[in-house]
Amino acid sequence: AVHSRKDVPAELAPGLVLSAISAREVPWDALCARTRTTLDELPKGAVVGTSSMRRQCQLLARRPDLQIKMLRGNVPTRIKKLDDGEFDAVVLAAAGLIRLGMADRITHELGLELSIPAVAQGVLAIETRESDAMVREVVAKAIHDEPTAAKMAAERRFLAKMGGSCQTPLAAHAVSLPKEQIRLVGMCGMPDGTRMLHAEVTGSVALAAELGERLADNLLAQGAAEILAATKL
């Protein structure tokens, strides 16, 4: 089975394992509008579609005047809703648009300074039967990317320590640094963007999971647990 890594639960069904992690596609969120415009150039009060509290809080922290409305459906459906005039812009994962051959619909790539991505955004995971040694070996040799896997260890440990999911207003993104180092940045925020907590840690690739815990501890010390409790679905 092929999954978006960010959607894979922390615990798999008995007898199943993740045998390969792909190299990361472009990890950023992407603004799609009907005209070539950026987030800051959207008109005051523009209607922006997203189903993500993580995206919503970061958008409103930057542009509190925006009207955020729920956006559902697969990628082509969401783009059609934009084209039909239901929204002035929508925010999607750049990776999904690129993989579907729709990269031309991206009008503004929202980099790390604008929107920290979801944990594991842009990464694919291959799930196999644990007992199927041949298949595990084949997919590992063909697809597995160890540098990406190390960064996923940091990001996923952060999410687990925070008790979050893709439905919570959390974000974390790991970047490779020289000399086998990783920089891990994270965010927790209220959906209306009025309270935003940020933190970052740096350390050895060999201690990737520990970095995720350190990042979580930093945000929890700032009061992230209160935000998560207030936004729990």
Side-chain angles (χ1 to χ4, degrees):
V2 181
H3 303 283
S4 173
R5 183 66 180 94
K6 71 182 181 69
D7 297 329
V8 178
E11 294 186 10
L12 300 178
L16 301 178
V17 294
L18 296 183
S19 295
I21 300 296
S22 76
R24 198 169 212 160
E25 183 53 88
V26 173
W28 316 125
D29 289 325
L31 183 80
C32 302
R34 288 187 296 278
T35 60
R36 306 306 297 184
T37 189
T38 68
L39 176 60
D40 289 340
E41 292 169 347
L42 287 173
K44 186 174 182 179
V47 178
V48 178
T50 178
S51 59
S52 163
M53 279 200 288
R54 174 191 62 80
R55 289 175 179 147
Q56 176 178 319
C57 69
Q58 293 185 98
L59 289 169
L60 290 175
R62 179 84 175 192
R63 288 286 307 271
D65 62 285
L66 295 177
Q67 298 182 59
I68 306 297
K69 292 194 174 180
M70 186 63 66
L71 177 64
R72 298 292 191 188
N74 60 27
V75 172
T77 296
R78 296 182 186 202
I79 292 295
K80 185 177 186 301
K81 290 180 178 181
L82 169 67
D83 291 340
D84 288 346
E86 293 185 39
F87 304 92
D88 296 308
V90 297
V91 178
L92 306 170
L97 291 160
I98 292 169
R99 289 181 177 126
L100 290 171
M102 302 174 72
D104 61 317
R105 297 307 307 260
I106 299 173
T107 58
H108 185 197
E109 207 169 79
L110 305 179
L112 199 58
E113 74 285 355
L114 292 175
S115 185
I116 301 174
V119 165
Q121 185 161 302
V123 177
L124 298 178
I126 310 300
E127 183 179 16
T128 70
R129 289 181 293 273
E130 187 174 14
S131 60
D132 200 334
M134 184 187 73
V135 170
R136 292 180 63 185
E137 182 180 355
V138 168
V139 298
K141 286 183 177 179
I143 296 167
H144 188 69
D145 186 78
E146 189 55 36
T148 301
K151 291 193 278 284
M152 292 307 95
E155 294 179 18
R156 294 282 296 186
R157 182 63 68 88
F158 163 79
L159 192 65
K161 182 71 179 286
M162 298 293 289
S165 70
C166 59
Q167 303 298 323
T168 47
L170 290 168
H173 184 69
V175 180
S176 295
L177 298 175
K179 299 182 179 179
E180 297 294 308
Q181 298 282 298
I182 288 177
R183 175 188 177 221
L184 182 64
V185 300
M187 179 281 301
C188 181
M190 290 295 293
D192 61 4
T194 55
R195 186 183 180 195
M196 302 288 291
L197 307 179
H198 291 89
E200 71 172 78
V201 295
T202 302
S204 169
V205 169
L207 301 175
E210 182 181 307
L211 289 177
E213 292 211 12
R214 283 172 48 196
L215 183 68
D217 288 340
N218 190 315
L219 287 175
L220 290 169
Q222 294 183 51
E226 299 170 11
I227 293 175
L228 295 177
T231 58
K232 188 172 291 186
L233 295 176

